[in-house]
Amino acid sequence: MIDHYRSLFDRHQWLENALCWTVVQPLDEEISVDVLLRRLNGGRDPHRRIMEYPTEEPWSEDLPVLFAFEDERTYGFLEFSYGYALADHILAGLSKASRVWMTTWHTFGGYTILHAADGEIKARMVDFVFAEHRVQQGDSSILADFLPMLDSLESEDYRGKLSAAFAFIERSTGMRLESDWLDVEEAPVIILDNWNEI
């Protein structure tokens, strides 16, 4: 799995600068992608549009721009413009009757992975790429299998560690981000315009 994401980051190197990958597994069949998008956008329907060149245009928005993916009642949301991390209250709302995993980073760092369920953040690890600076919060058993993945890599293998975060989320959810999903033009995107208002 790590090798899959190494290849993805090699092909789409811009993702190493900033992203937020959130995977949601609803436990209630009534929860649709539209419900999740409203929760992501602070309770309001987000703006949807078609971008001609979505991997090149989102920086003009100055707001989180997402791709949304679905695979067997599991939803992946990739924020690929600035690495806007979802606020804890948004993650808690997403995790009501759902399991949520998120990893995020941006140009200035912020390498975070977390898990939320039952309306609360259950576990978080900050600065996971730096063994000497990692900070864990919450139930450490939730991320226990992530640590051996990180520690099996060379200390400066940052691409490997970013890949490990995606691989760990895939192993936990079954949701794989495919490289060809990002090779799109004239593609639908979601722009969150109320995500940090509440």
Side-chain angles (χ1 to χ4, degrees):
M1 285 185 189
I2 290 175
D3 287 344
H4 168 79
Y5 292 106
R6 277 188 192 280
S7 296
L8 183 141
F9 288 127
D10 186 50
R11 186 168 174 183
H12 306 282
Q13 294 178 14
W14 48 275
L15 288 173
E16 290 180 299
N17 297 326
L19 64 72
C20 181
W21 175 235
T22 306
V23 177
V24 185
Q25 293 180 300
L27 303 176
D28 179 348
E29 291 186 10
E30 303 281 320
I31 299 175
S32 66
V33 68
D34 291 328
V35 169
L36 295 175
L37 287 170
R38 277 193 294 279
R39 290 180 184 178
L40 277 166
N41 199 40
R44 194 168 72 196
D45 285 331
H47 177 66
R48 298 171 190 247
R49 64 179 266 212
I50 301 293
M51 279 191 174
E52 187 174 1
Y53 300 106
T55 60
E56 298 173 14
E57 294 178 45
W59 296 277
S60 64
E61 292 298 327
D62 201 30
L63 288 166
V65 179
L66 309 176
F67 283 133
F69 308 106
E70 180 179 359
D71 183 34
E72 296 183 17
R73 287 285 301 156
T74 299
Y75 301 93
F77 302 99
L78 180 67
E79 195 288 313
F80 56 97
S81 52
Y82 290 99
Y84 288 106
L86 296 172
D88 284 0
H89 70 277
I90 297 287
L91 289 162
L94 272 179
S95 75
K96 291 178 181 171
S98 298
R99 288 189 291 264
V100 176
W101 292 92
M102 183 189 81
T103 190
T104 185
W105 54 81
H106 51 76
T107 305
F108 303 106
Y111 304 98
T112 300
I113 188 168
L114 65 76
H115 175 63
D118 303 320
E120 63 179 310
I121 309 297
K122 299 287 188 179
R124 178 189 337 247
M125 185 185 300
V126 179
D127 286 337
F128 65 82
V129 297
F130 306 112
E132 66 279 10
H133 296 298
R134 287 180 198 143
V135 176
Q136 289 194 65
Q137 301 166 337
D139 182 351
S140 60
S141 69
I142 293 171
L143 297 172
D145 290 340
F146 182 47
L147 288 171
M149 294 172 78
L150 292 173
D151 294 339
S152 70
L153 300 165
E154 295 292 328
S155 62
E156 295 187 9
D157 183 4
Y158 300 118
R159 178 172 288 173
K161 292 177 183 181
L162 302 181
S163 300
F166 271 72
F168 181 72
I169 291 174
E170 179 184 340
R171 194 168 78 181
S172 301
T173 65
M175 184 74 174
R176 171 174 279 204
L177 181 63
E178 299 289 356
S179 182
D180 60 352
W181 294 354
L182 306 175
D183 291 328
V184 291
E185 296 180 6
E186 296 288 340
V189 299
I190 294 107
I191 300 172
L192 302 183
D193 58 359
N194 195 50
W195 69 292
N196 62 355
E197 295 300 316
I198 57 172

